[in-house]
Amino acid sequence: MKILVFAMLLVLAIPVAQAGLHLEPYVGYLSGKSKVTILGTEVKDTYKTAMIGARVGLGMMGVSAGVDYSMSPGTFELKQDTPATSAGPDKEKYKNLGIFVAFKFPVLFRVWGTYFLNSEMKVDTVGAGTGSSVDDKLKGKGFAVGAGFTGLPIVAINLEYRRITFDELDDGATGVTTSLPTAAVSEFKTNEVMLSISAPFNLF
C-alpha cells in the first residue's frame, strides 16, 4: 500500500506540462467468490458478471497513475454454494472506485496495482428465502494487481486479481448501518479474477 501511494505521488508530482493524459476504457468479465461467517457457520457464495470501467490519469515515460472506476452494467446473481440451500439467489449491482499506478515495459507488457477506496455491492432483487432486503449494501475497500499484453493494435488484453473486504453493511429495510465484524457476523471477504480488453491511450 505504501509503495502504491508513493508511486502515485511521484507521478502526480511531474509537472502537468510534461505529462500526458492517460485514458483507458475497458470491458471485462469478472468471476468472484466470497465468504462470511454468520453465527459460527461459514457461508460461501459465487458470482459472475460483466464489468465496464476506465482508468484515467497522468502518464510519462511508461508510468501512469490516476483514478480507476468500474461497475457491473446490469445485475448479476449471487449464489450460495456452502452450506447448500434451496433459497433463490439475490441479484446484485457492483461498483468500485480506486487509485492506480501502472508501468509499461518496452516489450509489449505492462503491470499495475489499484487500491480501492470504495467498493459497493448492492442488492437489486431479493431471492426467495435469502433473508435479504432490496437496497442492502455491503461497503468496503481492497486492492487489485494486474498484467496486460500490449502487442495488438489499439487494444490490450488484461488479467487482474482483485481482493475486496467489506466491513460495513447498510440495511435497506431499516436504514441502519452496521460496522463489521460483529459478534454474529464477520467481514465479507472476496477473491475475484477479471479478464478484460482495454484501449489505453496516452494523449499529449
Side-chain angles (χ1 to χ4, degrees):
M1 171 60 184
K2 290 181 179 178
I3 295 175
L4 179 64
V5 171
F6 175 76
M8 182 175 180
L9 290 174
L10 182 63
V11 172
L12 294 180
I14 300 171
V16 175
Q18 298 180 29
L21 174 65
H22 177 83
L23 176 61
E24 184 183 359
Y26 60 84
V27 59
Y29 187 76
L30 182 144
S31 177
K33 296 180 180 180
S34 69
K35 65 179 180 179
V36 59
T37 300
I38 302 175
L39 297 174
T41 299
E42 187 173 69
V43 178
K44 295 182 179 180
D45 298 316
T46 57
Y47 51 95
K48 294 179 169 125
T49 179
M51 296 290 285
I52 57 174
R55 285 179 278 269
V56 181
L58 298 177
M60 184 178 181
M61 298 175 62
V63 180
S64 57
V67 176
D68 184 339
Y69 178 78
S70 60
M71 62 177 287
S72 58
T75 61
F76 59 92
E77 292 186 347
L78 185 72
K79 299 178 181 179
Q80 181 176 315
D81 294 334
T82 306
T85 179
S86 60
D90 291 336
K91 290 189 177 180
E92 309 269 342
K93 291 183 177 180
Y94 197 15
K95 60 183 180 181
N96 301 277
L97 176 65
I99 54 175
F100 78 93
V101 175
F103 179 74
K104 184 180 183 301
F105 294 94
V107 286
L108 311 178
F109 186 71
R110 68 185 185 128
V111 294
W112 69 89
T114 303
Y115 178 69
F116 293 113
L117 303 166
N118 182 28
S119 294
E120 181 181 294
M121 196 174 288
K122 176 181 176 182
V123 177
D124 183 76
T125 304
V126 176
T130 63
S132 301
S133 300
V134 173
D135 291 336
D136 280 357
K137 294 179 187 176
L138 283 170
K139 297 179 179 179
K141 298 177 176 63
F143 70 90
V145 291
F149 174 70
T150 58
L152 300 175
I154 302 177
V155 301
I157 300 174
N158 311 300
L159 186 64
E160 184 176 76
Y161 169 75
R162 298 182 172 193
R163 184 175 178 88
I164 310 295
T165 298
F166 294 101
D167 58 3
E168 186 175 293
L169 173 63
D170 291 352
D171 191 305
T174 65
V176 174
T177 298
T178 303
S179 295
L180 303 175
T182 67
V185 183
S186 71
E187 296 175 328
F188 286 72
K189 296 182 181 293
T190 72
N191 288 282
E192 304 170 347
V193 175
M194 184 172 71
L195 180 65
S196 67
I197 296 175
S198 65
F201 296 99
N202 289 309
L203 307 175
F204 296 94

